[in-house]
Amino acid sequence: MFPSSVSRCFLRLFFFFFFFVFSHVQAAKLPFHPRDVLPLLPRELSWPILNSLHGAVDLLPSFVGSVSSPNRIVNWKGACFEGNTAWMEFHNKTGSEFGGGTLHIKVSYPHSWTCMDLYIFATPYRVTWDYYFLSREHTLEISEWEDKAEYEYVKNRGISIFLMQAGMIGTFQALWDVFPLFTNTGWGENSNIGFLEKHMGASFEERPQPWVTNISVDDVHSGDFLAISKIRGRWGGFETLEKWVSGAYAGHTAVCLKDSEGKLWVGESGHENEKGEDIIAIIPWDEWWDFELNKDDSNPHIAYLPLHPDVRAKFNETAAWEYALSMAGKPYGYHNMIFSWIDTIDGNYPPPLDAHVVASVMTVWSKIQPEYAANMWNEALNKRLGTQGLNLSDILVEIEKRGSSFDELLTIPEQDNWIYSDGKSTSCIAFILEMYKEAGLFDPIADSIQVTEFTIKDAYSLSFFENNSSRLPKWCNDADSVKLPYCQIKGKYRMELPGYNSMDPYAHMNERCPSLPPKYFRLRNC
């Protein structure tokens, strides 16, 4: 069963939201008053102090327990309050079919007068939060369960409680920074632009109109690459955070294919079908282009990257079509989505992120949506261990038994020949590069290339594309005074692709590469 587009997007947003929040907040371990007032000071003063006092481990959210009935009481020690107790009470105050419930939380013994504890409460069907400043019993009211499934889930497995140890002010500040990125508004678009300018050093120069190119499909060939950047709405927000951690200046990709009759098609991993599932699809160009022009509300900016003539001559169109058709209808490659980004123990996480944060996010989500967690990372982590069927907790225990660490496990390269429970797993960029691999573009070193290790930036940096502007189509950037080395075919702002068309393939490419913002410097032959 495929996760729906909304569910998978929510998972991604949740995942990267935690990354962003943890990169903007700091917490302390010591029960000392300065910890509570430092966040009130100007950021340029407080953050260096907080950073010098505490490590990334202090950023981890802590799962304190699940509460499912009055008889199942959970006790724990908080960041502020030493004594905490929670229990669940079911009721039907609204007279609805499945009723609702009240989560009781009693907090006591704060370590100072100024501290407070911030919590996240979650089921697979809702996520909410609250904070506690006073020593007393607090309640979280849920007037109605969404449906029978949520009622049964809470009755049997409970509401999961997570303690945020970063402090109220720091967490709210990060929330305020990240919220507008996902709004489908002008505010949201400007927020995404501002984020990328600030954190990546990106520039958004406005192009002269028209912002849409009148394309002649006669000039488009099989294997030509489409780089897509979305800057508003839920996909815009997700892509912004994805760009930030990976260094890519595009967040989605697709590939062109022509059939024997000369009809142009687009191959895309991540196409939303009529059921709301994100799948691999082969779509007529006219249909795909119409959607991007008239129905995609994320304000997509699109660049067309034609293959170099010598590369095109090498491109085995028959093999490419065979591969594309064999993958059509299969799910988007969520199994290995995050692993193309993480290659090193400490060279891929924007500070102060690290593998501890990744583990915490995985832990939270595994408690909320264990089925999706299995799809997103459990299978991939089992592949790296050579095990089967272990859940995240079992995986962490197994790592310790072997004398290894979670950060080392994350760096093990993905293998293109790994078969997951629903088949081969290819993200948008892995789908294209696997097609290139099947079509012969990585020969004679194809056996030593794992395309599932490539980010979007790694892909457009390959020296596969046209390098002679005189051979670009006449309609390419015809209204723009700045002549890019590729063809931007849609978008108000000029797309930049640093490192474009600059790197020849080599064995084990992109398996050990750092990618820290804002320069995203990579080692030679990493």
Side-chain angles (χ1 to χ4, degrees):
M1 180 178 178
F2 301 160
S4 69
S5 173
V6 172
S7 296
R8 187 170 68 81
C9 182
F10 176 65
L11 189 155
R12 283 175 153 185
L13 301 188
F14 178 90
F15 197 83
F16 284 104
F17 165 75
F18 267 94
F19 281 171
F20 186 70
V21 168
F22 296 154
S23 73
H24 280 67
V25 297
Q26 294 288 330
K29 298 177 181 177
L30 300 175
F32 187 63
H33 290 284
R35 181 191 69 177
D36 306 317
V37 300
L38 271 173
L40 297 172
L41 301 176
R43 180 183 297 189
E44 60 271 17
L45 176 62
S46 63
W47 279 30
I49 299 174
L50 288 166
N51 283 330
S52 66
L53 289 175
H54 316 299
V57 69
D58 298 305
L59 303 173
L60 301 180
S62 175
F63 172 66
V64 299
S66 294
V67 183
S68 58
S69 70
N71 297 325
R72 187 176 177 181
I73 298 174
V74 176
N75 299 284
W76 71 94
K77 179 181 178 180
C80 171
F81 293 93
E82 298 286 331
N84 302 274
T85 303
W87 66 95
M88 187 71 199
E89 175 191 1
F90 289 88
H91 60 65
N92 196 352
K93 298 177 180 179
T94 62
S96 60
E97 184 176 2
F98 303 108
T102 302
L103 177 63
H104 298 264
I105 297 183
K106 185 177 180 180
V107 303
S108 55
Y109 308 117
H111 68 68
S112 80
W113 291 103
T114 55
C115 70
M116 64 181 70
D117 277 338
L118 176 64
Y119 290 93
I120 292 175
F121 308 99
T123 78
Y125 307 90
R126 71 180 72 221
V127 177
T128 188
W129 63 274
D130 207 347
Y131 66 94
Y132 305 122
F133 182 74
L134 300 175
S135 294
R136 62 178 178 85
E137 182 180 321
H138 302 266
T139 60
L140 178 70
E141 287 290 340
I142 299 174
S143 59
E144 295 182 10
W145 306 116
E146 288 200 5
D147 52 27
K148 182 179 180 180
E150 184 179 27
Y151 167 70
E152 293 290 344
Y153 181 93
V154 175
K155 185 173 69 172
N156 295 318
R157 302 184 63 176
I159 293 179
S160 297
I161 304 173
F162 299 91
L163 170 67
M164 297 293 293
Q165 302 185 65
M168 173 65 70
I169 294 176
T171 301
F172 271 137
Q173 186 173 29
L175 179 62
W176 179 253
D177 287 342
V178 78
F179 170 73
L181 299 179
F182 303 99
T183 62
N184 193 6
T185 63
W187 176 38
E189 182 170 312
N190 290 334
S191 296
N192 279 287
I193 291 172
F195 183 100
L196 295 172
E197 289 176 333
K198 177 180 179 181
H199 295 284
M200 292 184 70
S203 61
F204 287 81
E205 298 178 355
E206 188 170 328
R207 300 195 303 151
Q209 295 197 49
W211 295 329
V212 175
T213 298
N214 186 16
I215 301 166
S216 172
V217 296
D218 293 338
D219 297 321
V220 181
H221 305 276
S222 288
D224 291 346
F225 188 102
L226 296 164
I228 304 157
S229 176
K230 303 180 180 185
I231 59 174
R232 66 188 297 167
R234 59 188 175 112
W235 289 117
F238 163 70
E239 285 193 12
T240 288
L241 298 181
E242 182 184 33
K243 293 167 188 171
W244 170 55
V245 299
S246 70
Y249 277 61
H252 186 52
T253 55
V255 65
C256 299
L257 285 168
K258 271 191 171 177
D259 62 22
S260 58
E261 298 179 355
K263 182 177 180 179
L264 183 61
W265 299 74
V266 174
E268 181 179 36
S269 180
H271 175 78
E272 184 175 336
N273 67 10
E274 63 278 1
K275 297 179 182 179
E277 301 163 341
D278 286 318
I279 63 170
I280 297 171
I282 314 300
I283 314 152
W285 165 266
D286 290 341
E287 178 183 330
W288 185 87
W289 187 231
D290 177 70
F291 177 84
E292 298 303 330
L293 292 181
N294 302 309
K295 301 174 185 177
D296 191 338
D297 59 5
S298 65
N299 193 7
H301 287 51
I302 304 173
Y304 164 72
L305 284 51
L307 292 179
H308 188 279
D310 294 342
V311 176
R312 183 174 296 125
K314 189 177 179 181
F315 187 85
N316 186 328
E317 195 170 42
T318 300
W321 266 107
E322 288 177 355
Y323 170 76
L325 293 174
S326 73
M327 296 295 290
K330 292 184 177 180
Y332 173 88
Y334 43 82
H335 291 293
N336 48 31
M337 184 181 72
I338 70 169
F339 294 99
S340 64
W341 156 47
I342 302 173
D343 288 347
T344 67
I345 290 177
D346 57 6
N348 299 110
Y349 306 99
L353 302 185
D354 66 4
H356 296 290
V357 175
V358 176
S360 71
V361 175
M362 289 181 176
T363 300
V364 170
W365 195 260
S366 294
K367 298 294 183 182
I368 300 172
Q369 290 276 29
E371 295 82 8
Y372 285 177
N375 286 333
M376 282 293 294
W377 46 73
N378 284 3
E379 282 197 61
L381 294 174
N382 273 279
K383 294 284 188 186
R384 285 160 172 77
L385 282 172
T387 54
Q388 290 184 345
L390 299 184
N391 62 29
L392 183 60
S393 298
D394 296 333
I395 288 168
L396 296 175
V397 170
E398 182 65 23
I399 293 170
E400 292 297 324
K401 288 180 179 179
R402 298 186 183 190
S404 185
S405 63
F406 188 68
D407 50 8
E408 290 176 334
L409 184 68
L410 292 176
T411 66
I412 295 176
E414 184 83 7
Q415 301 297 302
D416 293 349
N417 61 1
W418 282 350
I419 306 296
Y420 289 88
S421 57
D422 50 8
K424 284 193 172 183
S425 185
T426 58
S427 64
C428 64
I429 194 58
F431 169 70
I432 297 172
L433 295 182
E434 188 66 37
M435 180 189 295
Y436 283 2
K437 196 174 180 181
E438 293 292 327
L441 298 194
F442 286 102
D443 288 347
I445 60 170
D447 290 342
S448 61
I449 293 285
Q450 306 299 330
V451 300
T452 42
E453 281 292 304
F454 284 54
T455 65
I456 292 175
K457 179 183 179 181
D458 296 332
Y460 64 64
S461 296
L462 287 167
S463 56
F464 284 173
F465 306 105
E466 180 59 79
N467 60 4
N468 186 339
S469 59
S470 67
R471 289 197 295 255
L472 293 173
K474 292 182 179 180
W475 43 262
C476 180
N477 304 317
D478 58 347
D480 197 343
S481 58
V482 176
K483 301 304 179 184
L484 298 171
Y486 40 83
C487 307
Q488 183 166 346
I489 57 177
K490 186 181 185 299
K492 175 180 179 180
Y493 302 103
R494 192 170 292 115
M495 293 179 68
E496 51 183 340
L497 302 175
Y500 171 69
N501 206 25
S502 62
M503 200 171 303
D504 293 331
Y506 55 86
H508 304 290
M509 188 175 191
N510 298 316
E511 293 183 6
R512 300 289 182 213
C513 293
S515 59
L516 290 177
K519 300 299 184 182
Y520 301 98
F521 173 78
R522 57 175 286 146
L523 301 174
R524 182 178 178 85
N525 294 331
C526 61

